[in-house]
């Protein structure tokens, strides 16, 4: 079978949903857990079996931490709701949600508790369920999760930048909570009452010292606030936070606080990554002409940086670049030969060993396949490409760091292979795994209970996302995303403002 016959859900940038345009890249979904379940398809019993099988493998390996338990219970709940052969009964939904809620509350790490709660709220909205399942006379789950944000302490992320994030994690949590509250139609809670949560979150930007993290984290917060229609806080009240973040990016040399990466990255990569995420925030703001020339020509800067990053780095950044330009309405003039651009990015698979390392090379193939899918060029991805990606995970045994972080690229692969209808490659015996299935092989080689693999939670996100996709395309997008118009200035519908 060739990839041309796979049932891909997207056939070009003009077919993208608003949610995909806002949260296009797998980083936000796999690492931060926002925007899960994109590209909904009809319920597939085989996909449901694969998801449950993977959680069973994790359980057999002794992986039973609170976050994995939450993810398994939520995936089961979602699959039960999406299964057309099972009736939806209010009493049954309430009963089945109780252990999911309990699992969220059992998570001791406040950031992960917030992330789990936001994923649950987003799932309820996407499944079209009544929000009174979470907000009623007995409980106010959104309020619990919003309150938990206050307990997130700075510099708690355990990765190669440990101790250098500031309140980056809290800022990311605010983005997720605000988005989830908007999905449930509860956004007014953020700006009414004793505290204005939006103002507080915006002021967190100043607590993040590195331009890279301020730009990458701030861009999602600013995007969410535009989506919610809170422009008067981002670009009013005497300050413009979009301009402030762009200006801060320009001080990278002066501040000299570069992030660390698992593999060496070019200086241009460190600069282009937060810039491209900010360009997407600019696209959502409805003030593109004002922001694109703030301080310098931002599109010229992005174009120059993209030329300077290495070919393998382009596989990561190509998707960010194209989606931002598309959202800005500037794709045609900035990338006049889109086919040549995509062919160059996707063609890098022939020169990259996906088993060389878990980050730079390890997730490159996932970006390559997703770029091909979103631009309608899956003809560039053959069976050899996908098989090489699927067979690359044993190579990560070369070092302890790559082995411990193997769930990172594996989650990316499961996510994108599910999106292009090729997830079966991970669930069938393969020679590269001595006759085992890749998923069984990877889980079998986890440490006892998965306790060494601090990025194992990303596999949970991939599985929950796979489950949420089974809800079917019929209902369409939630009102929050459906009602956004790119290029138009968001209308502020917060309390105290005139209804338009």
């Amino acid at each position: 079978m060739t990839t041309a016959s796979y049932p891909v859900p997207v056939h070009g940038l003009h077919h993208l949903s608003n949610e995909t345009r806002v949260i296009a890249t797998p980083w936000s979904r796999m690492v931060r857990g926002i925007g899960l379940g994109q590209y909904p398809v009809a319920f597939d019993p085989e996909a449901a079996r694969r998801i449950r099988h993977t959680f069973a493998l994790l359980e057999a390996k002794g992986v039973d931490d609170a976050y994995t338990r939450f993810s398994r219970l939520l995936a089961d709940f979602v699959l039960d709701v999406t299964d057309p052969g099972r009736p939806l009964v209010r009493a049954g939904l309430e009963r089945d949600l109780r252990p999911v809620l309990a699992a969220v509350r059992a998570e001791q790490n406040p950031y992960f508790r917030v992330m789990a709660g936001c994923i649950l709220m987003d799932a309820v909205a996407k499944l079209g369920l009544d929000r009174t399942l979470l907000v009623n006379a007995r409980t106010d789950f959104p309020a619990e999760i919003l309150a938990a944000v206050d307990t997130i302490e700075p510099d708690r992320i355990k990765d190669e930048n440990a101790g250098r994030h500031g309140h980056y994690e809290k800022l990311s949590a605010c983005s997720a909570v605000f988005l989830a509250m908007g999905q449930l139609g509860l956004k007014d809670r953020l700006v009414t009452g004793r505290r204005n949560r939006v103002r507080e979150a915006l002021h967190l930007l100043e607590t993040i010292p590195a331009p890279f993290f301020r730009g990458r984290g701030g861009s999602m917060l600013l995007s969410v606030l535009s989506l919610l229609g809170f422009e008067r806080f981002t670009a009013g009240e005497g300050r413009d936070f979009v301009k402030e973040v762009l200006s801060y990016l320009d001080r990278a040399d002066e501040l000299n606080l570069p992030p660390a990466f698992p593999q060496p990255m070019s200086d241009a990569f460190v600069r282009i990554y937060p810039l491209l995420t900010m360009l997407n925030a600019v696209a959502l703001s409805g003030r593109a002409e004002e922001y694109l020339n703030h301080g310098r020509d931002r599109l010229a800067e992005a174009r120059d940086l993209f030329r300077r990053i290495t070919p393998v780095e382009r596989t990561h950044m190509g998707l960010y670049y194209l989606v931002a330009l598309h959202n800005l309405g500037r794709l045609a003039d900035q990338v006049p030969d889109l086919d040549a651009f995509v062919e160059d990015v996707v063609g890098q698979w022939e020169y990259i060993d996906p088993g060389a390392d878990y980050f730079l090379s390890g997730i490159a193939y996932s970006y390559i396949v997703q770029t091909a899918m979103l631009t309608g060029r899956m003809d560039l991805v053959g069976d050899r490409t996908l098989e090489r990606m699927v067979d690359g995970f044993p190579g990560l045994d070369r070092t302890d760091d790559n082995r411990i972080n193997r769930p990172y690229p594996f989650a990316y692969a499961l996510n994108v292979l599910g999106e292009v209808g090729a997830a079966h490659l991970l669930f069938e015996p393969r020679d590269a795994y001595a006759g085992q299935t890749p998923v069984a092989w990877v889980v079998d080689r986890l440490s006892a209970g998965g306790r060494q693999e601090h990025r194992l939670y990303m596999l949970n996100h991939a599985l929950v996302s796979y489950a949420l996709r089974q809800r079917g395309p019929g209902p369409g997008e939630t009102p929050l995303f459906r009602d956004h118009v790119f290029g138009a200035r968001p209308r502020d519908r917060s309390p105290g403002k005139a209804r338009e």
Side-chain angles (χ1 to χ4, degrees):
M1 180 182 285
T2 64
T3 53
S5 61
Y6 290 161
V8 296
V10 177
H11 300 281
L13 293 167
H14 290 288
H15 294 151
L16 301 186
S17 67
N18 277 353
E19 183 177 20
T20 297
R21 295 175 72 178
V22 177
I23 311 170
T25 61
W27 181 86
S28 293
R29 288 178 271 152
M30 297 301 99
V31 177
R32 295 300 173 194
I34 60 174
L36 300 183
Q38 292 183 33
Y39 322 114
V41 294
F43 181 81
D44 178 4
E46 182 59 23
R49 187 197 67 79
R50 292 170 185 155
I51 294 163
R52 288 181 164 123
H53 171 68
T54 306
F55 277 117
L57 290 173
L58 290 168
E59 187 174 19
K61 187 66 179 178
V63 179
D64 193 35
D65 59 280
Y67 201 81
T68 299
R69 190 160 58 252
F70 153 74
S71 301
R72 173 175 53 80
L73 290 167
L74 178 60
D76 265 335
F77 176 81
V78 169
L79 292 173
D80 285 346
V81 170
T82 57
D83 186 343
R86 299 177 70 106
L88 286 181
V89 180
R90 172 74 187 211
L93 292 172
E94 291 176 346
R95 180 195 64 236
D96 294 344
L97 263 180
R98 286 189 200 112
V100 183
L101 291 166
V104 175
R105 291 162 176 154
E107 173 56 65
Q108 295 300 302
N109 182 306
Y111 175 75
F112 279 90
R113 185 163 68 253
V114 169
M115 189 158 55
C118 292
I119 291 171
L120 174 55
M121 289 189 280
D122 184 60
V124 167
K126 285 176 175 170
L127 293 170
L129 302 177
D130 195 320
R131 75 182 184 193
T132 59
L133 288 167
L134 301 176
V135 187
N136 52 60
R138 296 180 304 279
T139 189
D140 190 339
F141 184 72
E144 288 180 40
I145 298 303
L146 190 60
V149 173
D150 290 339
T151 66
I152 298 174
E153 298 178 2
D155 291 316
R156 295 291 172 148
I157 303 174
K158 297 178 181 179
D159 64 11
E160 56 279 350
N161 286 286
R164 291 187 285 179
H165 294 94
H167 275 296
Y168 181 58
E169 206 165 39
K170 191 171 186 177
L171 182 77
S172 297
C174 287
S175 299
V177 171
F178 295 178
L179 183 60
M181 299 284 276
Q183 287 282 66
L184 291 179
L186 299 173
K187 71 170 190 174
D188 287 354
R189 287 189 175 191
L190 303 173
V191 294
T192 55
R194 185 173 57 86
R195 297 170 60 181
N196 186 306
R197 296 281 185 164
V198 170
R199 286 197 189 104
E200 291 179 13
L202 286 168
H203 286 288
L204 284 174
L205 289 166
E206 297 169 344
T207 71
I208 302 171
F212 180 88
F213 293 115
R214 188 178 298 193
R216 190 169 71 172
S219 64
M220 184 51 66
L221 175 67
L222 293 165
S223 294
V224 169
L225 293 179
S226 291
L227 196 65
L228 294 172
F230 287 146
E231 185 193 33
R232 70 187 176 107
F233 299 111
T234 61
E237 302 185 334
R239 298 184 66 173
D240 190 317
F241 288 92
V242 176
K243 288 182 178 179
E244 289 182 21
V245 173
L246 289 171
S247 296
Y248 199 73
L249 295 184
D250 295 340
R251 297 177 57 197
D253 286 339
E254 167 201 343
L255 296 167
N256 192 27
L257 294 169
F261 289 95
Q263 287 80 47
M265 310 295 284
S266 70
D267 177 67
F269 180 88
V270 174
R271 294 170 186 272
I272 195 172
Y273 196 149
L275 174 61
L276 294 181
T277 61
M278 279 302 298
L279 288 182
N280 214 41
V282 167
L284 269 94
S285 73
R287 303 162 67 103
E289 293 308 312
E290 180 180 348
Y291 293 140
L292 289 179
N293 291 298
H294 174 69
R296 62 184 67 176
D297 184 335
R298 298 295 169 175
L299 293 182
E301 180 185 18
R303 190 166 59 247
D304 175 63
L305 289 170
F306 198 83
R307 292 193 191 105
R308 288 165 47 197
I309 59 178
T310 66
V312 66
E313 289 171 345
R314 287 187 202 125
T315 65
H316 289 233
M317 290 292 100
L319 184 63
Y320 287 81
Y321 190 38
L322 293 177
V323 172
L325 291 176
H326 172 63
N327 289 342
L328 288 164
R330 299 295 301 272
L331 183 58
D333 68 274
Q334 295 297 306
V335 183
D337 192 342
L338 179 60
D339 281 336
F341 182 100
V342 175
E343 287 164 10
D344 176 65
V345 169
V346 176
Q348 295 304 318
W349 75 268
E350 295 192 65
Y351 311 104
I352 298 171
D353 172 9
D357 56 71
Y358 75 87
F359 175 70
L360 182 57
S361 302
I363 64 174
Y365 275 60
S366 295
Y367 275 110
I368 283 170
V369 175
Q370 196 138 50
T371 299
M373 181 185 78
L374 265 62
T375 56
R377 291 303 311 272
M378 282 299 291
D379 59 293
L380 300 174
V381 178
D383 289 342
R384 284 180 56 222
T385 312
L386 298 185
E387 289 171 357
R388 191 171 181 186
M389 175 172 69
V390 168
D391 289 341
F393 296 102
L396 298 176
D397 276 342
R398 295 168 187 164
T399 69
D400 286 343
D401 189 47
N402 282 317
R403 175 184 55 79
I404 289 170
N405 286 286
R406 185 158 34 212
Y408 191 147
F410 192 78
Y412 271 61
L414 175 58
N415 176 67
V416 75
L417 290 174
E419 291 171 353
V420 301
H424 62 91
L425 295 173
L426 295 173
F427 294 88
E428 296 171 351
R430 299 188 63 81
D431 291 343
Y433 299 90
Q436 280 188 283
T437 66
V439 67
W441 188 94
V442 167
V443 172
D444 188 50
R445 279 155 181 78
L446 295 174
S447 62
R451 285 183 282 275
Q452 291 183 13
E453 290 82 5
H454 61 280
R455 285 182 163 118
L456 184 58
Y457 74 93
M458 292 171 60
L459 179 55
N460 292 325
H461 289 169
L463 292 164
V464 170
S465 189
Y466 197 10
L468 267 173
R469 291 188 64 228
Q470 306 306 306
R471 69 189 185 276
E477 292 198 270
T478 57
L480 179 66
F481 287 101
R482 185 188 62 227
D483 295 343
H484 184 80
V485 179
F486 280 86
R489 187 166 296 192
R491 297 179 297 174
D492 191 332
R493 294 180 179 273
S494 55
K497 303 294 287 185
R499 299 280 177 178
E500 298 178 28

